[in-house]
């Protein structure tokens, strides 16, 4: 792919990772991008780098525009290595460049990653860096999703270099939102939020008004396409994602050995359908936890089922509960269910996991020995349909 000139003297020079299928423990079925941006002015600035294996590709893109040795500033919006991994390769060429990063977390984090031999410029809220015709303003966004995160704003061009915010793991030869399938991009934006930013909804709610206070004609994130025609849509989507009020929908998640727990899961599904609640069914043998969490993000009800094996729940269910607890979804109504042969511990253990997520338990754990009867399944559906 060639570099793209976004504005006179401002270029997208990042790379596309077409083949990556796992990132942060969630599936990236449409690949990913590691976006970086180059500003040519009296002073030359590179905003972020790329994942280390793509460092030479980044440098080749920069060379299409300018000798990397002429870079004066390297703006590091985020320490994480999909953003910063190419810093050593860039700094090996741009030997006089100054690394601009957030104070104190970015400064401390970069030193721990790459040492203290570089010249650093820690910045805080309100600091402004003049490049000549362009200025860069720095806005800290701590815990979106690391303590060091910040965004960079260029008021002259109305560009927000938004770091992880508004990103998507989505590979494309196109650069902008209006050049691709918006349904795909919005789905990936929701999945990205659900699996990376969901624990930090409170911080996001505080950040959105700051972003809305800026005059923005282009959002240039660190991953995925840039937003120029649907800025209002993605900002409103983030308001919705970070709002703790759930949508009226349900998610049923299970694994099963001999189909008994699966029969229960389908009875639970039927109960929600009887209740008029839109519902999705996920089998952990075939569905990835990161896809499930995309629906859990705004679900009102979460039902989780497992049979008992060796006095425990199935490992797939335990893994899902652990992953979900870490992402800390808010304001969910939940219950557990499961089949067993003799011990019957799984439903209670799943219930404990749901309580650990701080969900409201709306039904005592439901369990059945061996194979559920039609009468049992019908009663289970009716109990679900009767939930508040």
């Amino acid at each position: 792919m060639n570099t793209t000139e976004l504005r006179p003297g401002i270029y997208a020079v990042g790379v596309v990772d077409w083949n990556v299928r796992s990132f942060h423990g969630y599936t990236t079925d449409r690949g990913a991008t590691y976006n970086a941006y180059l500003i040519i002015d009296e002073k030359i600035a590179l905003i972020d780098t790329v994942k280390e294996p793509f460092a030479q590709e980044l440098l080749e893109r920069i060379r299409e525009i300018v000798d990397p040795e002429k870079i004066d500033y390297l703006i590091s919006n985020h320490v994480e290595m999909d953003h910063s991994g190419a810093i050593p390769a860039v700094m090996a060429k741009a030997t006089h460049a100054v690394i601009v990063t957030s104070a104190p977390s970015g400064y401390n984090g970069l030193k721990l990653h790459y040492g203290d031999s570089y010249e650093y410029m820690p910045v805080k809220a309100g600091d402004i860096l003049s490049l000549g015709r362009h200025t860069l303003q720095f806005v800290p966004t701590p815990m979106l999703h690391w303590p060091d995160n910040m965004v960079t704003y260029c008021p002259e061009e109305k560009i927000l270099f938004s770091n992880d915010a508004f990103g998507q793991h989505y590979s494309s030869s196109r650069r902008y939102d209006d050049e691709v399938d918006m349904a795909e991009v919005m789905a990936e934006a929701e999945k990205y939020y659900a699996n990376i930013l969901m624990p930090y909804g409170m911080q996001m709610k505080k950040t959105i008004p700051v972003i809305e206070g800026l005059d923005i004609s282009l959002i240039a994130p660190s991953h995925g396409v840039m937003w120029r025609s649907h800025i209002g849509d993605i900002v409103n989507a983030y308001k919705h994602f970070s709002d703790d009020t759930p949508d009226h929908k349900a998610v049923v998640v299970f694994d099963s050995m001999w189909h008994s727990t699966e029969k229960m899961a389908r009875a639970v599904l039927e109960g929600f359908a009887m209740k008029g609640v839109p519902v999705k069914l996920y089998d952990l043998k075939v569905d990835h936890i990161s896809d499930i969490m995309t629906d859990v993000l705004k679900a009102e009800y979460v039902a989780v089922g497992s049979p008992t094996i060796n006095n425990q729940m199935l490992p797939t269910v335990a893994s899902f509960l652990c992953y979900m607890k870490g992402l800390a979804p808010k304001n969910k109504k939940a219950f557990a269910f499961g089949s067993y042969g003799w011990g019957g511990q799984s439903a209670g253990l799943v219930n404990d996991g749901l309580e650990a997520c701080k969900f409201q338990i709306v039904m005592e754990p439901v369990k059945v020995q061996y194979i559920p009867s039609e009468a049992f399944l019908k009663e289970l559906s009716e109990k679900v349909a009767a939930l508040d």
Side-chain angles (χ1 to χ4, degrees):
M1 288 178 59
N2 296 322
T3 58
T4 300
E5 190 168 21
L6 312 180
R7 300 284 192 274
I10 301 181
Y11 302 85
V13 293
V15 302
V16 179
D17 190 347
W18 297 96
N19 296 324
V20 64
R21 291 296 179 268
S22 179
F23 191 94
H24 285 313
Y26 82 91
T27 54
T28 50
D29 298 325
R30 293 188 173 99
T33 66
Y34 314 117
N35 298 338
Y37 304 95
L38 186 69
I39 302 177
I40 305 298
D41 204 327
E42 295 172 20
K43 297 289 185 178
I44 296 173
L46 176 66
I47 299 178
D48 284 320
T49 69
V50 299
K51 201 173 178 180
E52 189 276 333
F54 299 91
Q56 293 310 310
E57 187 173 345
L58 170 68
L59 287 169
E60 289 170 9
R61 295 187 191 286
I62 293 171
R63 287 191 189 99
E64 294 177 17
I65 302 161
V66 69
D67 187 335
E69 294 182 3
K70 295 183 179 180
I71 295 173
D72 297 288
Y73 297 104
L74 196 167
I75 315 299
S76 178
N77 280 330
H78 186 17
V79 171
E80 196 169 7
M81 287 181 283
D82 54 315
H83 302 246
S84 70
I87 282 179
V90 171
M91 295 300 289
K93 301 297 182 182
T95 54
H96 74 285
V98 176
I99 300 176
V100 181
T101 186
S102 65
S105 296
Y107 174 59
N108 293 333
L110 288 177
K111 287 196 300 178
L112 290 171
H113 277 75
Y114 307 112
D116 57 6
S117 61
Y118 304 129
E119 183 180 352
Y120 293 99
M121 180 190 295
V123 293
K124 60 185 184 302
D127 285 352
I128 296 175
L129 177 65
S130 176
L131 303 179
R133 302 185 314 278
H134 301 95
T135 57
L136 299 178
Q137 300 176 6
F138 305 105
V139 181
T141 56
M143 297 315 303
L144 291 177
H145 59 127
W146 281 19
D148 60 87
N149 282 66
M150 70 177 186
V151 299
T152 299
Y153 176 60
C154 178
E156 293 78 15
E157 302 294 346
K158 303 179 181 180
I159 300 176
L160 178 69
F161 300 97
S162 66
N163 194 353
D164 279 328
F166 311 118
Q168 336 90 48
H169 282 311
Y170 182 81
S171 57
S172 172
S173 61
R174 301 294 186 176
R175 298 290 193 181
Y176 295 103
D177 55 350
D178 51 22
E179 297 177 325
V180 296
D181 186 325
M182 272 302 296
E184 287 185 352
V185 170
M186 290 302 290
E188 291 300 332
E190 184 170 11
K191 182 174 182 178
Y192 188 92
Y193 185 96
N195 287 277
I196 291 185
L197 296 174
M198 191 198 302
Y200 313 109
M202 182 179 297
Q203 291 88 339
M204 182 57 69
K205 283 184 281 192
K206 293 178 180 178
T207 299
I208 288 175
V210 176
I211 290 172
E212 288 186 314
L214 303 174
D215 187 5
I216 298 172
S217 62
L218 180 67
I219 295 178
S222 290
H223 302 291
V225 296
M226 294 173 284
W227 303 91
R228 65 180 179 186
S229 297
H230 299 277
I231 292 174
D233 293 334
I234 188 60
V235 171
N236 286 333
Y238 263 57
K239 288 180 180 178
H240 181 60
F241 299 158
S242 61
D243 184 350
D244 292 336
T245 303
D247 296 339
H248 192 51
K249 65 181 185 178
V251 177
V252 182
V253 184
F254 76 97
D255 199 351
S256 190
M257 293 190 295
W258 296 108
H259 304 293
S260 290
T261 301
E262 180 179 356
K263 290 178 180 178
M264 297 176 74
R266 292 185 180 277
V268 171
L269 176 80
E270 180 64 23
F272 280 120
M274 291 164 56
K275 185 178 175 62
V277 177
V279 57
K280 287 192 176 181
L281 182 71
Y282 286 103
D283 183 343
L284 286 163
K285 285 190 293 297
V286 294
D287 295 308
H288 196 270
I289 55 178
S290 59
D291 292 313
I292 299 170
M293 287 308 303
T294 307
D295 274 321
V296 169
L297 170 64
K298 296 300 293 184
E300 180 179 1
Y301 297 94
V302 179
V304 181
S306 173
T308 299
I309 181 171
N310 301 325
N311 302 319
Q312 300 293 321
M313 69 184 89
L314 282 174
T316 50
V317 180
S319 175
F320 169 71
L321 290 171
C322 177
Y323 189 74
M324 183 164 62
K325 180 183 177 184
L327 290 171
K330 302 289 192 300
N331 295 336
K332 309 301 178 190
K333 300 174 182 177
F335 62 91
F337 61 93
S339 60
Y340 66 99
W342 50 94
Q345 295 92 339
S346 63
L349 292 171
V350 171
N351 185 79
D352 292 344
L354 295 171
E355 287 184 334
C357 291
K358 300 181 179 179
F359 293 170
Q360 178 189 352
I361 305 301
V362 293
M363 186 188 300
E364 290 298 313
V366 181
K367 59 183 180 179
V368 66
Q369 189 171 23
Y370 290 120
I371 299 172
S373 67
E374 289 302 317
F376 176 91
L377 295 173
K378 181 175 182 293
E379 182 182 356
L380 177 56
S381 294
E382 291 172 349
K383 285 182 178 179
V384 173
L387 288 173
D388 290 335

